[in-house]
Amino acid sequence: MNDIERTTIEDTYVIWKMILIRNKHGYSDEFANILEKIAEAMITYYGPERKETIMNAIYNTHIHFQKPGEDPEEYFDNYFSLPQGINAEKDDFWAYHFSVGIPKGHKIKEESLIYVTGQCSELDLNSNDEQLGINLQCLIHEIIHCVKSHEGFKYSGCNFLIEKASGLERVIYDTNLYMPLENKYHALNEAMTTLQEWEIYELLTNKKANTSYSTYEYSANVLGCMLRNDQLRKVMIDAEFDKSEDWIEYIGTNEVERLEKNFEKWNNEGICNYDDLYEYYECFRDYSPDKQYFREDSQGSNDNSQGKELIKHSETNCE
């Protein structure tokens, strides 16, 4: 089969699946067209071998745009089949993805929702307006979350626990209250999702992504430097789709814990340690598992302007 025939089959699959998606969720033709282009960009980015995972995740996730006067928390609680409601932080967000795994005998029924607030609901692929670009990035970000969490639930009936694998993140839920009991690698997962949001947005629009609006700006930029190492990028993306922890073995548990700690700190404080930035910039360019790069302790300046300059440099010169 030549490349043209293969491309035609893949395009036909996406078009057919989008018809099913539009009919199932009642999307307008305008939004379905935007969603189809996002899906195509994601398939190009992640590879055609993952097209079914991407399209099935979008098919099984409802994307809801907030109506005037609508309470997001009330909508969440009514949408999901949980009598106790959803214990999730839903304050001060533009768009939000949440999925639950509900035990049904020995199986799990997965329910997935992307909620888009009114301030983020206007979309235009061709506009140069900054806010419309951010709106599109927010939607891409949440679709990445829905794809990475698709079919990521495991149920342990003996102790009423559900494990959710969403990209790099692992969450353990109590099925009685559906509250998270343990959450691992959240900061790393958000950095990974943010970096991919930027790269998919640029692939989709041929425009530079807005990186400054994101809480995860620092960590995503550092991760971007790390993933200039093609083998590390492949290991981490494969692990996201395979729901495996091979990436932890590849990097090393201690190094992963250090990354998570630093990423979480940078996200919360909005500042970045210059020495840490430089360390990640340098050590992951030719990283391999048999090398040890990290200092036992990081003591350095908290000069935010220096960190900004390194980030700016890394976007074009980290290789």
Side-chain angles (χ1 to χ4, degrees):
M1 183 183 296
N2 61 41
D3 290 341
I4 294 177
E5 290 173 331
R6 185 179 296 109
T7 300
T8 300
I9 291 174
E10 290 168 359
D11 289 346
T12 301
Y13 172 80
V14 173
I15 292 170
W16 168 76
K17 197 72 176 183
M18 278 307 307
I19 293 172
L20 298 180
I21 290 169
R22 185 176 65 243
N23 292 340
K24 177 181 179 180
H25 297 286
Y27 297 145
S28 67
D29 289 344
E30 180 182 6
F31 178 64
N33 181 59
I34 292 173
L35 192 56
E36 181 177 338
K37 292 185 183 304
I38 292 174
E40 289 171 344
M42 293 181 72
I43 292 168
T44 300
Y45 181 86
Y46 293 117
E49 70 275 10
R50 297 188 171 113
K51 66 179 182 296
E52 291 187 14
T53 299
I54 292 168
M55 297 308 297
N56 287 337
I58 295 173
Y59 176 81
N60 288 307
T61 299
H62 181 63
I63 302 174
H64 175 78
F65 291 87
Q66 183 183 27
K67 297 178 181 178
E70 181 179 87
D71 179 8
E73 185 168 353
E74 182 178 343
Y75 185 90
F76 265 65
D77 291 343
N78 290 333
Y79 180 83
F80 292 103
S81 305
L82 295 173
Q84 70 273 29
I86 294 293
N87 293 290
E89 295 181 4
K90 300 181 285 294
D91 298 328
D92 192 26
F93 67 93
W94 288 354
Y96 191 96
H97 171 257
F98 197 78
S99 59
V100 301
I102 303 171
K104 298 289 185 182
H106 297 291
K107 297 182 179 181
I108 290 182
K109 176 187 176 185
E110 183 176 336
E111 297 181 354
S112 180
L113 171 72
I114 292 175
Y115 189 98
V116 182
T117 63
Q119 64 181 331
C120 195
S121 60
E122 187 178 353
L123 299 169
D124 189 334
L125 293 179
N126 301 313
S127 175
N128 291 318
D129 181 85
E130 181 180 20
Q131 184 58 53
L132 292 182
I134 292 174
N135 292 355
L136 184 58
Q137 287 183 222
C138 286
L139 180 60
I140 292 171
H141 187 101
E142 302 311 323
I143 293 175
I144 294 171
H145 276 313
C146 99
V147 168
K148 299 298 181 59
S149 65
H150 181 58
E151 296 184 342
F153 291 94
K154 295 179 181 178
Y155 177 48
S156 175
C158 60
N159 53 15
F160 303 103
L161 296 180
I162 287 180
E163 178 181 348
K164 175 183 175 181
S166 179
L168 305 177
E169 186 175 8
R170 298 295 182 270
V171 185
I172 304 294
Y173 289 97
D174 179 339
T175 59
N176 293 317
L177 298 175
Y178 216 88
M179 293 187 65
L181 302 177
E182 182 182 353
N183 189 324
K184 297 176 64 177
Y185 311 128
H186 174 75
L188 270 160
N189 188 55
E190 285 295 345
M192 188 73 158
T193 303
T194 299
L195 175 65
Q196 293 173 3
E197 165 208 319
W198 296 345
E199 294 176 344
I200 291 171
Y201 173 85
E202 293 176 1
L203 180 64
L204 173 65
T205 65
N206 291 317
K207 290 180 282 193
K208 185 71 175 174
N210 186 323
T211 62
S212 61
Y213 87 94
S214 174
T215 305
Y216 311 105
E217 175 188 5
Y218 289 113
S219 53
N221 269 302
V222 172
L223 192 61
C225 273
M226 292 167 52
L227 297 190
R228 294 297 180 96
N229 181 317
D230 290 338
Q231 181 59 28
L232 179 60
R233 174 181 286 264
K234 181 181 186 305
V235 167
M236 294 188 74
I237 291 179
D238 285 349
E240 288 185 294
F241 279 90
D242 297 340
K243 309 295 189 292
S244 77
E245 296 190 351
D246 291 349
W247 67 283
I248 298 175
E249 181 179 348
Y250 186 86
I251 297 176
T253 302
N254 292 338
E255 283 78 2
V256 168
E257 295 296 337
R258 188 191 295 262
L259 280 168
E260 175 69 12
K261 181 179 179 180
N262 281 332
F263 281 16
E264 184 176 359
K265 178 182 178 182
W266 299 343
N267 296 340
N268 291 336
E269 296 180 358
I271 60 175
C272 192
N273 183 294
Y274 174 76
D275 281 358
D276 286 337
L277 270 175
Y278 186 75
E279 178 181 30
Y280 293 128
Y281 170 72
E282 285 293 317
C283 77
F284 274 101
R285 287 187 297 178
D286 60 346
Y287 179 82
S288 63
D290 59 335
K291 298 180 181 179
Q292 294 294 325
Y293 291 96
F294 293 93
R295 300 188 308 273
E296 289 299 316
D297 186 31
S298 294
Q299 300 290 335
S301 168
N302 282 318
D303 185 341
N304 197 36
S305 63
Q306 290 180 306
K308 282 280 193 180
E309 285 303 310
L310 183 57
I311 285 176
K312 183 178 180 181
H313 171 79
S314 73
E315 290 176 344
T316 55
N317 295 292
C318 181
E319 58 187 15

